[in-house]
């Protein structure tokens, strides 16, 4: 989410959301706790470019050596990652593209609040925006956007709290959900695009004061959700996953929950398999373009 200051993640609103979610949590079974995710390391990425910072989504490929990363100011960057014994040792930015609207004009301001990223097998980039809430397709990063149909539900989402996440499954179906817009049952609504229309196949349970910031489908076919909480002592992060069935997600499992200040403002998630066959989660932090924060790439090994 774009903010000039991390303090704009309003503590009062977060607390209110936490009370609502906590009340709902009392009425549902607790999530299972799997063997914990194993911390592998962090890398602070620094680069003196005017577009650098505010990263809200990323996708890794080719064994974790190619990264596409999205800023919340409508900039899409392709990079190469250098690794030493599996750990990130360097990042080289290759190309940065200022995203364009369907009219061809470069996106700026409220219309350029890009948050979620999904890459299809044909290389198309799908991006979700918070303002106005929409999902668009780019066949080429430098090309014009093709805006997918906008259901009425998108138009009702609150500004700066809407389509924070975007994920794509093995069938090429897109899934998006808002950061803070619960349905009438206190659940997190999930919308799916099947290539022709949007539907709402299921919802997810909120828990505590954490809010969704990104999602991904892993190579194992499971659905992973990265969530964030802001406290007076710093950011907390949580990673949950579900097995996907024809009836919807089941077997909710908490893989990771950090204490305040463990990492920076983690907003982007990519789940992939490394050369040893180990499942990894790579996350990127949004520094809000503030000198007191940092762009951090964090990696964990995930249990199967």
């Amino acid at each position: 989410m774009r903010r000039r200051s991390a303090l704009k993640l309003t503590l009062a609103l977060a607390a209110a959301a936490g009370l609502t979610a906590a009340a709902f949590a009392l009425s549902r079974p607790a999530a299972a706790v799997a063997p914990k995710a194993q911390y592998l390391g962090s890398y602070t990425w620094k680069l003196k470019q005017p577009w650098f910072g505010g990263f809200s989504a990323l996708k890794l490929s080719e064994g974790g050596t190619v990264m596409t990363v999205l800023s919340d100011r409508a900039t899409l960057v392709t990079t190469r990652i250098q690794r030493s014994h599996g750990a990130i040792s360097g990042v080289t930015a290759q190309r940065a593209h200022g995203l364009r609207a369907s009219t061809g004009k470069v996106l700026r301001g409220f219309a350029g609040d890009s948050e979620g990223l999904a890459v299809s097998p044909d290389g198309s980039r799908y991006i979700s925006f918070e303002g106005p809430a929409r999902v668009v397709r780019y066949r080429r990063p430098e090309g014009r956007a093709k805006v997918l149909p906008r259901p009425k539900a998108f138009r009702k989402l609150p500004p700066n709290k809407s389509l924070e996440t975007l994920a794509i499954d093995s069938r090429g179906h897109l899934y998006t959900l808002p950061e803070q817009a619960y349905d009438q049952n206190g659940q997190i609504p999930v919308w799916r695009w099947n290539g022709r229309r949007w539907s709402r196949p299921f919802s997810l349970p909120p828990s505590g004061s954490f809010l969704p910031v990104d999602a991904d489908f892993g190579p194992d076919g499971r659905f992973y959700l990265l969530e964030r909480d802001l406290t007076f002592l710093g950011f907390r992060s949580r990673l949950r996953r579900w097995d996907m069935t024809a009836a919807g997600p089941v077997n909710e499992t908490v893989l990771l929950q950090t204490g305040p200040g463990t990492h920076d403002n983690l907003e982007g998630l990519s789940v992939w398999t490394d050369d040893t066959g180990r499942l990894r989660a790579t996350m990127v932090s949004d520094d809000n373009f503030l000198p007191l924060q940092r762009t951090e790439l964090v990696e964990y090994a995930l249990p199967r």
Side-chain angles (χ1 to χ4, degrees):
M1 175 190 300
R2 178 185 303 178
R3 302 170 185 83
R4 290 183 180 275
S5 169
L7 293 179
K8 291 185 180 180
L9 280 165
T10 310
L11 292 173
L13 290 177
L19 290 174
T20 300
F24 174 76
L26 293 176
S27 65
R28 69 180 184 89
V33 179
K36 290 185 178 181
Q38 178 188 354
Y39 175 66
L40 297 176
S42 300
Y43 177 83
T44 299
W45 184 21
K46 299 178 181 180
L47 190 62
K48 291 185 177 180
Q49 290 289 343
W51 50 260
F52 183 81
F55 295 119
S56 59
L58 80 166
K59 289 294 173 282
L60 271 67
S61 60
E62 297 184 25
T65 61
V66 174
M67 178 175 68
T68 302
V69 63
L70 175 72
S71 88
D72 61 11
R73 294 186 181 177
T75 301
L76 192 67
V77 186
T78 56
T79 74
R80 297 289 303 191
I81 293 179
Q82 294 81 49
R83 293 182 178 272
S84 176
H85 304 290
I88 298 174
S89 57
V91 179
T92 302
Q94 296 179 314
R95 291 178 298 277
H97 299 278
L99 297 175
R100 298 181 180 274
S102 57
T103 61
K105 296 179 66 173
V106 175
L107 290 166
R108 302 186 188 282
F110 180 66
D113 191 358
S114 47
E115 295 292 344
L117 170 67
V119 181
S120 69
D122 68 2
S124 295
R125 279 80 164 175
Y126 290 89
I127 294 174
S128 65
F129 290 82
E130 279 200 312
R134 67 200 188 278
V135 177
V136 309
R137 178 187 184 185
Y138 290 94
R139 290 186 180 275
R140 295 174 293 108
E142 66 275 16
R144 296 187 180 194
K146 179 181 179 181
V147 183
L148 302 187
R150 294 179 66 217
K152 291 181 180 179
F154 285 10
R155 303 172 191 271
K156 297 178 180 179
L157 292 171
N160 212 34
K161 294 289 184 182
S162 63
L163 302 182
E164 187 80 12
T165 76
L166 194 63
I168 188 167
D169 68 14
S170 59
R171 299 173 295 174
H173 294 173
L174 299 172
Y175 296 74
T176 187
L177 56 142
E179 179 181 7
Q180 192 172 6
Y182 300 139
D183 64 17
Q184 60 184 2
N185 297 315
Q187 300 277 281
I188 304 168
V190 178
W191 290 280
R192 179 173 64 201
W193 171 257
N194 66 1
R196 300 180 304 279
R197 64 183 182 88
W198 288 101
S199 62
R200 232 196 85 178
F202 59 86
S203 57
L204 296 174
S207 178
S209 54
F210 286 92
L211 299 175
V213 288
D214 205 5
D216 197 14
F217 281 90
D220 55 1
R222 289 162 163 162
F223 184 77
Y224 292 80
L225 182 66
L226 175 64
E227 299 168 291
R228 171 192 60 202
D229 179 32
L230 175 61
T231 74
F232 287 107
L233 298 178
F235 294 98
R236 297 195 299 157
S237 298
R238 182 173 67 194
L239 184 62
R240 291 191 284 171
R241 79 176 174 198
W242 287 263
D243 296 326
M244 297 299 291
T245 70
V250 298
N251 301 328
E252 176 191 339
T253 305
V254 177
L255 299 173
L256 170 70
Q257 184 167 314
T258 68
T262 302
H263 302 299
D264 207 285
N265 178 28
L266 297 183
E267 276 208 16
L269 168 70
S270 182
V271 179
W272 54 285
T273 304
D274 65 21
D275 292 338
T276 68
R278 182 168 50 177
L279 199 62
R280 289 198 189 203
T282 302
M283 292 163 279
V284 66
S285 66
D286 175 0
D287 67 354
N288 293 299
F289 292 92
L290 293 173
L292 295 178
Q293 292 185 254
R294 63 191 182 278
T295 296
E296 184 182 24
L297 291 165
V298 179
E299 295 194 311
Y300 281 82
L302 303 179
R304 291 284 185 172

